[in-house]
Amino acid sequence: MVENNNVTVQFSDDGEDVRPSTDSPPLVSSYNDKIRPILDAVDNLRRLKVTEEGIPLPTIVVVGDQSSGKSSVLENRINNETYEEARAEEAMLFGTHHLLSKIDKSMVGIAVLAEKLVHIQSTIISKCFPDIVKKINERLNASVLELNKLPRKLMTVPDAMAAFIQMVGSLKETLQKILIRGEFDEYANDKQMHCNARLVEMLNEFSTELRSSVKFSDNFLVDEIEVLEEGNGIRLPHFGSHSAFLCLLQRKVNGISELPINFIDKVWSYLENVCIRVMVDNCGNYPQLLPSIRKAAHNTMAKMKAKFVERVVEMIEMEKITDYTCDPNFNASWKKLMGDPHDQFANKIQEYNDHIHSSGLISVDGYGHVNIKHLVNVSENVREQAFDLKMRMTAYWEIVLKRIVDWIALQLQFLIKQMVNTEMRTEIVTDGGIEKMMDEPSSIATRRERLRKSIDLLQESKEVIGQVIDGIFVTAD
């Protein structure tokens, strides 16, 4: 506190506070009335270990004779005179000294000094308390809010069933929003959870990959001529062979048959990640359910994926055995390809037969610039049938690719809806989640107990400060 020739602060070993009598000196009275309660409040807060809650406390250093072992008494003595004798000597000094006598009597004296010292000390200390009170209130509010967010401990089966149904319903609603209805407000800043947009991107990439997967032969019409020659039979010439067309179709479909399966792997991996993310978010209050719900999601996704793959394999096989379309664009596209491209093809062949200099390249829609030099020695009948076969396949193949992409998109949406609305919920309920709801994890139990202790400590700390805060503000004023 203060140390000079007239005032010392002494501490006892046991820290006991000995209140002065009614005739105590003014500094002692002011200290015990105004300063001591503040120090006691800070000591009590330290004893409660409020600093462990992140609440800083002021460090108050009191200087004095700590070796005497006397009780905590502020002594205001010079030699062994009494308090009255000391006051008399003080009055004589300030009355007769040639400089001190000129000071206004309201500004000098032990009483005035004592009051000013106590006022200064209490003001300095009191400045710390509003911040302490603010931090205690903030920490208390945060702890109460965190405690209220913890899941209610479920003690009965009906309570567990109600909580389980609510959680599963919330999970289903979120999956319906992002996978079926295309809403993404719950994950506005996470584009990976904007599922409809991501699925469309993957479908577009799949469509592009299908169209770019077919590798053209370096020599135009070679495959078609080979199929025609191997399909020869004892029959009239100039009649196109349907079996030759199917043979080419099967080759082309086989060439892309792995792409739809790869697409399913990619899409289902993405959907599984989305479902797991949603489940983790919705099971946050019941982490004990997460392993079983993960397992249920994995089982459901695996079952739906297997069904999807089976249907895609069937679709691919259907495309290989039947060449049919009701699309009127097929005939229009085929006739267009048999127009100018066919005439250019025939003219180039004729130029070679007439030994006219030519590059041997023509441009064909869907194939770019192709070489036809190797076709000069092929019979005209075979050339014409091969060209017609290729143009029919070109027109029909575009329809096949569109049909594959459209069919997969429809199946994808159908299976997602079935999975979300029926299969996922059934699998989760079957796994026995209700019983697990009543097993509170030790992590949550420990967290709940820690928060309750923290709240009790902070409330007690508020009471400690409340007992002296009004006096502190009055002193500060």
Side-chain angles (χ1 to χ4, degrees):
M1 294 278 289
V2 178
E3 181 180 21
N4 54 35
N5 291 333
N6 297 325
V7 182
T8 61
V9 180
Q10 298 179 351
F11 295 85
S12 66
D13 292 335
D14 57 5
E16 181 182 358
D17 181 16
V18 179
R19 295 292 176 180
S21 61
T22 56
D23 61 347
S24 299
L27 186 55
V28 176
S29 299
S30 296
Y31 172 82
N32 283 281
D33 291 342
K34 299 178 180 179
I35 302 299
R36 190 71 213 181
I38 298 175
L39 300 180
D40 289 343
V42 174
D43 287 340
N44 287 334
L45 291 177
R46 242 182 221 103
R47 177 179 53 80
L48 291 172
K49 298 182 180 179
V50 72
T51 53
E52 295 182 2
E53 295 295 326
I55 311 297
L57 294 177
T59 301
I60 302 174
V61 179
V62 182
V63 179
D65 181 7
Q66 302 184 39
S67 61
S68 63
K70 296 180 180 180
S71 298
S72 176
V73 179
L74 288 174
E75 297 182 352
N76 188 15
R77 307 286 178 83
I78 299 176
N79 298 323
N80 291 319
E81 73 270 47
T82 65
Y83 174 65
E84 289 76 10
E85 291 172 342
R87 291 301 302 274
E89 290 187 18
E90 170 204 355
M92 182 182 297
L93 175 64
F94 281 95
T96 60
H97 193 276
H98 69 285
L99 293 177
L100 297 178
S101 61
K102 296 178 181 180
I103 302 176
D104 192 301
K105 298 301 182 288
S106 64
M107 299 174 60
V108 300
I110 293 176
V112 175
L113 176 62
E115 186 62 31
K116 287 186 178 296
L117 287 173
V118 171
H119 178 76
I120 292 171
Q121 295 171 68
S122 62
T123 300
I124 293 173
I125 299 174
S126 66
K127 289 181 179 179
C128 303
F129 274 84
D131 188 55
I132 294 175
V133 173
K134 178 183 176 182
K135 290 184 181 299
I136 287 177
N137 286 331
E138 290 175 351
R139 187 73 187 106
L140 180 61
N141 292 336
S143 295
V144 171
L145 181 63
E146 188 177 355
L147 180 63
N148 291 336
K149 286 183 178 180
L150 290 180
R152 181 171 58 92
K153 188 174 182 179
L154 305 174
M155 306 299 295
T156 64
V157 173
D159 287 345
M161 183 175 294
F164 183 77
I165 292 174
Q166 182 180 7
M167 185 208 65
V168 173
S170 176
L171 173 63
K172 178 180 177 181
E173 173 63 20
T174 302
L175 289 175
Q176 285 179 331
K177 287 175 65 176
I178 65 176
L179 289 177
I180 298 176
R181 300 200 296 270
E183 302 170 11
F184 49 83
D185 53 288
E186 292 188 28
Y187 300 93
N189 298 321
D190 188 349
K191 290 188 176 182
Q192 278 300 105
M193 299 298 286
H194 303 175
C195 297
N196 278 17
R198 302 293 80 77
L199 290 176
V200 169
E201 287 178 356
M202 284 187 271
L203 278 168
N204 289 338
E205 291 172 2
F206 171 60
S207 178
T208 301
E209 189 177 13
L210 283 177
R211 284 172 168 76
S212 61
S213 62
V214 178
K215 305 301 180 183
F216 301 126
S217 173
D218 293 336
N219 294 317
F220 193 55
L221 301 183
V222 169
D223 292 337
E224 287 75 14
I225 291 173
E226 177 188 350
V227 169
L228 288 171
E229 289 177 348
E230 294 302 316
N232 274 334
I234 303 175
R235 60 176 178 268
L236 292 174
H238 306 294
F239 286 92
S241 170
H242 181 249
S243 61
F245 186 84
L246 282 180
C247 181
L248 284 176
L249 178 61
Q250 289 168 5
R251 288 184 182 182
K252 292 176 74 69
V253 173
N254 284 333
I256 60 142
S257 60
E258 293 298 321
L259 297 181
I261 307 300
N262 294 338
F263 172 76
I264 294 175
D265 290 337
K266 179 180 178 181
V267 167
W268 234 247
S269 177
Y270 167 74
L271 291 176
E272 190 164 357
N273 289 335
V274 168
C275 289
I276 294 298
R277 169 76 180 277
V278 172
M279 288 174 179
V280 170
D281 292 343
N282 281 269
C283 295
N285 288 336
Y286 305 99
Q288 68 272 29
L289 287 182
L290 197 53
S292 60
I293 288 185
R294 280 179 180 270
K295 179 182 177 183
H298 178 75
N299 291 341
T300 303
M301 297 294 292
K303 181 169 66 175
M304 301 306 291
K305 179 182 177 181
K307 184 183 293 187
F308 199 180
V309 170
E310 181 180 359
R311 292 183 179 182
V312 167
V313 170
E314 289 178 350
M315 178 267 296
I316 292 173
E317 290 302 314
M318 286 187 287
E319 290 292 353
K320 286 159 60 174
I321 63 175
T322 304
D323 53 324
Y324 172 78
T325 180
C326 63
D327 190 340
N329 290 327
F330 168 72
N331 280 328
S333 179
W334 169 64
K335 289 179 180 179
K336 181 180 178 181
L337 291 170
M338 291 300 292
D340 291 341
H342 176 266
D343 293 342
Q344 186 180 5
F345 171 72
N347 291 335
K348 285 288 184 182
I349 295 295
Q350 187 62 45
E351 288 178 5
Y352 265 90
N353 289 334
D354 295 340
H355 303 289
I356 300 176
H357 178 71
S358 173
S359 64
L361 296 177
I362 65 169
S363 178
V364 180
D365 288 350
Y367 297 91
H369 289 85
V370 297
N371 182 25
I372 60 171
K373 292 180 180 179
H374 59 287
L375 299 176
V376 174
N377 297 323
V378 178
S379 67
E380 181 180 359
N381 177 45
V382 174
R383 287 200 309 262
E384 290 296 319
Q385 289 188 64
F387 189 89
D388 179 77
L389 187 60
K390 194 168 200 63
M391 296 305 106
R392 286 180 187 272
M393 181 59 69
T394 300
Y396 183 65
W397 188 242
E398 184 66 23
I399 292 173
V400 170
L401 296 182
K402 288 180 180 179
R403 187 158 57 203
I404 290 175
V405 175
D406 290 346
W407 186 91
I408 287 181
L410 294 175
Q411 285 292 321
L412 177 62
Q413 287 296 92
F414 176 78
L415 292 175
I416 288 176
K417 185 175 182 180
Q418 188 179 19
M419 176 186 69
V420 172
N421 290 341
T422 307
E423 301 295 334
M424 189 76 75
R425 181 177 180 277
T426 302
E427 190 72 29
I428 292 174
V429 172
T430 303
D431 200 50
I434 296 177
E435 293 78 6
K436 296 175 183 176
M437 294 282 286
M438 301 177 67
D439 298 331
E440 186 176 57
S442 58
S443 59
I444 290 184
T446 302
R447 187 177 168 195
R448 192 193 305 277
E449 183 62 23
R450 178 183 61 79
L451 288 171
R452 285 175 176 169
K453 288 182 178 179
S454 174
I455 291 171
D456 291 342
L457 184 151
L458 293 169
Q459 288 176 338
E460 188 175 354
S461 300
K462 283 187 65 175
E463 293 174 1
V464 168
I465 295 180
Q467 293 172 1
V468 296
I469 196 71
D470 293 337
I472 293 174
F473 290 147
V474 170
T475 301
D477 294 337

